[in-house]
Amino acid sequence: MPQSSRPTSRPLLTGLLLAVATGLVIPLQGRINGALGATLDDGIAAAVVSFTTGLVLIAAIGLALPKGRAALRRILPALRERSFPRFYVLAGGIGALFVFAQSFTVGLLGVALFTVAAVTGQTLSGLLVDRLGIGPGGKRSITGVRILGSVLTIAAVVWAVSPRLGAAADVGSLLLPILLPVVAGCLMSFQQAMNGTATVHYGSPIAATLVNFVAGTVILWIAWLVKLSLLGHGHALPAEWWYYLGGPMGCVFIGLAALLVRSLGVLVTGLGMIAGQLLGSLALDLVLPAPGTVVAMPTILGTLLTLFAIIVATLPWPKGALSSRRPGKGQPGQSRKQDSNQRPVG
């Protein structure tokens, strides 16, 4: 049955604002998990704590809410009936891979270069995932407008983080480390599409979020146990409660992303979250700056350009905008059909 490529249940503006709001939590989650990793002297242990607390929270929510329990009961029947490819339940492993990429490359690349690499991968793969129709919203064409919006987004992120790129000037020697966040970013679009499709069949993003956290938690626990046997453990868990907010924030991010891709598509959902990520980073740098942080003008202007890029990618442009196809180059008989149905465009 053909699927519509237009939003079906949520106005575009509302969904886009939700995507931006969801992206706002990512920098704060990164700041918390980074601080926890430094306190524990173990980045993998911090990821384990984040995923485990998120798993406990989403399991409690799913069991407490009637709709959540109903959605959880649909997980096994959906897998038995192959309502979607079974490997979609491993989407949480992509989140674990992203955490691995952060743990092993941020120290080498720096946060700025890591962000550029991950955003580039996510934006480009968002176009591909929408074109393949992997997400629940069906296929969405790769138009000139969507390509322009994607290119503007990547350029905007590079501009926004450019004041922090000085330490990573020798990009050539970092080519291989850069590939890891690029791949992780590419897979993030697939994760959102897989979660969105699973959510349709489960009936709630709660079930999809729970399955994600189960897969990611298992993978990270295995990785941490291997690391523990080889290198030993780090420091004890801190007593401050705010160190444990990273997992709940991950629940918000994964759940809303799975819900939004159905109406917005993978690309626009990703662009909205990228904008929220830059806005959240800017707000953190202004309100709770890390030591040595300086908010430069390129960061502000690059963030504004990202918002403009999203407008370019989401506005209802006239059909064929920025297309290289010229009038008269269509299929045989197209001109006669257009003559009989043509209406003026205001």
Side-chain angles (χ1 to χ4, degrees):
M1 184 174 62
Q3 291 176 300
S4 171
S5 62
R6 288 186 173 274
T8 56
S9 60
R10 182 175 295 103
L12 175 63
L13 180 60
T14 302
L16 190 56
L17 289 176
L18 275 174
V20 173
T22 303
L24 290 173
V25 307
I26 299 175
L28 185 57
Q29 182 195 39
R31 180 77 69 85
I32 291 172
N33 285 342
L36 178 60
T39 301
L40 297 176
D41 193 27
D42 189 338
I44 298 179
V48 168
V49 171
S50 180
F51 267 74
T52 303
T53 54
L55 174 60
V56 171
L57 176 63
I58 196 63
I61 292 174
L63 293 174
L65 299 178
K67 289 185 177 180
R69 292 194 297 272
L72 296 182
R73 286 194 293 267
R74 294 190 190 104
I75 294 176
L76 292 180
L79 294 177
R80 283 197 299 265
E81 296 166 7
R82 297 182 183 272
S83 301
F84 51 85
R86 289 182 176 177
F87 68 84
Y88 280 21
V89 300
L90 299 177
I94 296 175
L97 174 63
F98 194 85
V99 172
F100 274 127
Q102 286 179 318
S103 300
F104 292 111
T105 65
V106 167
L108 179 61
L109 301 176
V111 174
L113 194 53
F114 177 90
T115 301
V116 171
V119 166
T120 300
Q122 183 179 354
T123 303
L124 295 179
S125 65
L127 282 170
L128 175 62
V129 170
D130 275 348
R131 180 65 184 88
L132 295 175
I134 297 174
K139 293 184 178 181
R140 297 168 189 252
S141 301
I142 300 179
T143 63
V145 168
R146 288 164 69 83
I147 292 174
L148 176 60
S150 300
V151 171
L152 283 176
T153 299
I154 296 171
V157 173
V158 172
W159 193 11
V161 303
S162 60
R164 306 179 188 179
L165 289 177
D170 188 11
V171 177
S173 64
L174 301 176
L175 181 59
L176 288 179
I178 287 174
L179 288 178
L180 184 56
V182 169
V183 170
C186 283
L187 292 176
M188 289 293 289
S189 294
F190 287 90
Q191 181 194 36
Q192 291 171 1
M194 292 156 67
N195 286 338
T197 298
T199 294
V200 171
H201 295 282
Y202 297 152
S204 169
I206 292 176
T209 304
L210 176 66
V211 171
N212 263 256
F213 271 93
V214 169
T217 300
V218 169
I219 291 172
L220 286 170
W221 268 101
I222 293 173
W224 183 74
L225 289 173
V226 171
K227 180 260 177 188
L228 182 65
S229 65
L230 296 175
L231 302 174
H233 61 81
H235 301 151
L237 291 172
E240 292 84 356
W241 60 271
W242 59 268
Y243 278 113
Y244 305 97
L245 294 180
M249 290 178 179
C251 293
V252 174
F253 172 78
I254 294 174
L256 284 178
L259 194 64
L260 290 170
V261 292
R262 185 177 184 182
S263 56
L264 297 181
V266 176
L267 175 65
V268 175
T269 300
L271 295 182
M273 290 183 175
I274 290 168
Q277 185 175 348
L278 290 180
L279 287 171
S281 298
L282 181 60
L284 274 179
D285 287 345
L286 290 173
V287 179
L288 295 172
T293 297
V294 177
V295 178
M297 186 57 66
T299 301
I300 298 173
L301 296 179
T303 301
L304 295 177
L305 180 58
T306 306
L307 300 178
F308 174 73
I310 294 172
I311 294 173
V312 169
T314 56
L315 279 180
W317 297 94
K319 188 176 181 180
L322 296 185
S323 173
S324 59
R325 180 180 295 178
R326 296 179 180 177
K329 297 288 184 181
Q331 299 293 333
Q334 184 178 5
S335 297
R336 289 192 297 272
K337 183 177 180 181
Q338 287 179 343
D339 290 340
S340 61
N341 296 292
Q342 188 174 14
R343 296 179 182 176
V345 178

